[in-house]
Amino acid sequence: MKTLFAETALTAAGWARDLRIVIDDAGDIVSCEAGAAPDGAESLAGPAIPGMPNLHSHAFQRAMAGLTERASDRADSFWTWRETMYRFVARLEPEDVEAIAAQLYLEMLKAGYTAVGEFHYLHHGRDGRPYADRCAMSEAVIAAAARAGIGMTLLPVLYQAGGFGGAPAGPGQRRFVSATDDLLASIGELRRRHAGSRNLRFGLAPHSLRAVPPEALAAAVAGMRAIDAAAPIHIHIAEQIREVEECLAWSGRRPVEWLLDHADVDASWCLVHATHMTAEETRRLARSRAIAGLCPTTEGNLGDGFFPFAEFAAADGRWGIGSDSHISVSPPEELRWLEYGQRLLKRQRNLATAGAPGSIGAALWRGALEGGAAALGRRIGGLAPGCRADLLVLDAAAPALYGRSGDLALDSLVFAGIGSAIRDVMVGGNWVVREGHHIAEDRIAAAYRRAIARLSGGEE
Ligand code: NGQ
Ligand code: ZN
């Protein structure tokens, strides 16, 4: 048992004063009492807010961030970026992936993400053949999450084709490809090996309608439901105009439309990007209760387009954020760019509340907590009994937060923070960041430096 005392804390009902939070030995919150006395509880140094779920990550891409910002002599695009990514991924072995992912997850924790949805598609050896342990790459990211101390929903990716209509996967994609039954068997095996892990859950990610033919999509979802009826299902969808055009040519339907027509999309699904939707698709997606997985900094970096956020929010759609390619690892920056995209498009201000008066920072933070928690399929995202004790303590000494409390602190955190305003971070009842420092920072950073040296041809 551990008891915390926060002078102010963000709960589902709004900001509470003098909150006593009792956490059991398994790391779950057992009670939250407002208006309480500190009594022997550990006093928090600033306002407490729930940690942010990061619903979309490709961990290995952290080591590629910054290497794709040079113009070539062709018209650079998402598709040329993807070729660079395929060349990069070709060199990685499990030990590299573990070192990169551990560094990434520690950066996530310092930035305020306390759980991650790892959309994991790098499965096989460099020649495309499975490792002796078929789950070796999954084990690498699981081990990295444990070393950094972040919560994880591992989403092993089904990948079979190089494009719509079952075009064969190309040489750059062969490390991703699995038969449906083999992938489901790996998920079953991983669930058995990690049955006792409270900070780990499993779901399934059909990569995209480009990479997964309809029969495989149906079989994989049914197979996953047989393993775990409530498992989260994530899919990339409608990120690029070319993808929409190819889907129309293949099926006569747009990607989001096709998926809503052919799969039982419900609250356990997460549609990642869903950038290009008609007004009708936007309303239908909102009605389905599926989560829209939004990654504004990566979507900007890759030149995707704008997700119709104002319209989706007005239709009461559910959404969360992800750092995806990790050119930025910062909840405030994702949320800020989500709102700024709409301001730039519409030449208006304060759009995330969909017309209701109130704090934009609070609407963004709370919306992403709720949708992110649902997308990761874990009891996270709230300071409430039954939730994991995943929380952030804001740094009351950060200039951006001077004199700001309640929702104004969230507005300042999202829109006015320079440097991190997060002081302490707890995951599942354990402190993993204290006064801005991660508990295993030096060791994890040293291993990451060695991995980068190895990958760039030298040994350190
Ligand atoms: C990915 N990333 O799987 O890493 C993708 C690119 C693809 C984003 N979509 C590859 N942002 O979609 O084919
Ligand atoms: Zn992605």
Side-chain angles (χ1 to χ4, degrees), residues 92-314:
L92 300 175
E93 293 290 355
E95 60 175 326
D96 305 310
V97 169
E98 183 178 333
I100 295 166
Q103 173 66 25
L104 169 67
Y105 298 154
L106 107 73
E107 289 169 339
M108 284 188 189
L109 289 164
K110 290 173 70 169
Y113 289 119
T114 45
V116 59
E118 184 60 41
F119 197 106
H120 175 69
Y121 57 83
L122 177 58
H123 298 305
H124 308 308
R126 300 162 73 144
D127 58 1
R129 281 209 289 272
Y131 288 103
D133 174 6
R134 198 170 241 295
C135 304
M137 277 291 190
S138 292
E139 293 287 13
V141 290
I142 291 170
R147 273 171 57 202
I150 198 166
M152 172 178 270
T153 298
L154 184 65
L155 303 154
V157 170
L158 184 66
Y159 202 111
Q160 294 182 340
F164 289 102
Q173 299 163 329
R174 67 184 172 191
R175 300 186 70 180
F176 316 154
V177 173
S178 306
T180 307
D181 288 345
D182 290 341
L183 188 83
L184 291 168
S186 295
I187 295 173
E189 170 66 19
L190 286 164
R191 279 170 48 94
R192 277 188 293 280
R193 289 186 199 171
H194 297 279
S197 305
R198 300 296 306 268
N199 286 335
L200 181 62
R201 195 210 205 292
F202 294 92
L204 170 76
H207 182 275
S208 55
L209 297 179
R210 290 174 272 125
V212 183
E215 320 74 61
L217 177 65
V221 170
M224 190 69 222
R225 291 277 176 252
I227 296 174
D228 173 358
I233 314 266
H234 289 218
I235 187 167
H236 288 132
I237 199 118
E239 183 175 9
Q240 284 278 317
I241 295 284
R242 185 174 119 186
E243 179 179 14
V244 176
E245 289 168 351
E246 288 175 359
C247 189
L248 276 166
W250 164 66
S251 70
R253 298 227 160 82
R254 304 166 58 84
V256 172
E257 188 185 19
W258 190 96
L259 189 72
L260 292 172
D261 287 347
H262 290 87
D264 290 322
V265 174
D266 63 14
S268 66
W269 282 70
C270 177
L271 277 62
V272 182
H273 308 308
T275 309
H276 298 290
M277 294 193 288
T278 62
E280 175 62 11
E281 286 176 299
T282 306
R283 281 190 296 271
R284 285 184 69 193
L285 179 59
R287 270 202 306 274
S288 77
R289 306 318 285 149
I291 313 301
L294 308 177
C295 311
T297 63
T298 294
E299 290 157 12
N301 187 278
L302 297 180
D304 290 346
F306 293 102
F307 175 84
F309 182 59
E311 291 75 11
F312 189 69

Side-chain angles (χ1 to χ4, degrees), residues 33-89:
E33 188 196 343
D39 291 346
E42 178 180 351
S43 270
L44 304 183
I49 64 176
M52 182 60 70
N54 184 337
L55 58 63
H56 193 66
S57 162
H58 306 291
F60 73 85
Q61 290 176 17
R62 171 65 184 85
M64 198 184 118
L67 297 180
T68 57
E69 311 303 324
R70 308 193 132 221
S72 72
D73 55 6
R74 335 181 261 170
D76 291 323
S77 68
F78 174 93
W79 307 101
T80 58
W81 172 89
R82 195 171 77 150
E83 286 165 24
T84 310
M85 185 269 276
Y86 290 163
R87 284 195 294 276
F88 183 79
V89 86

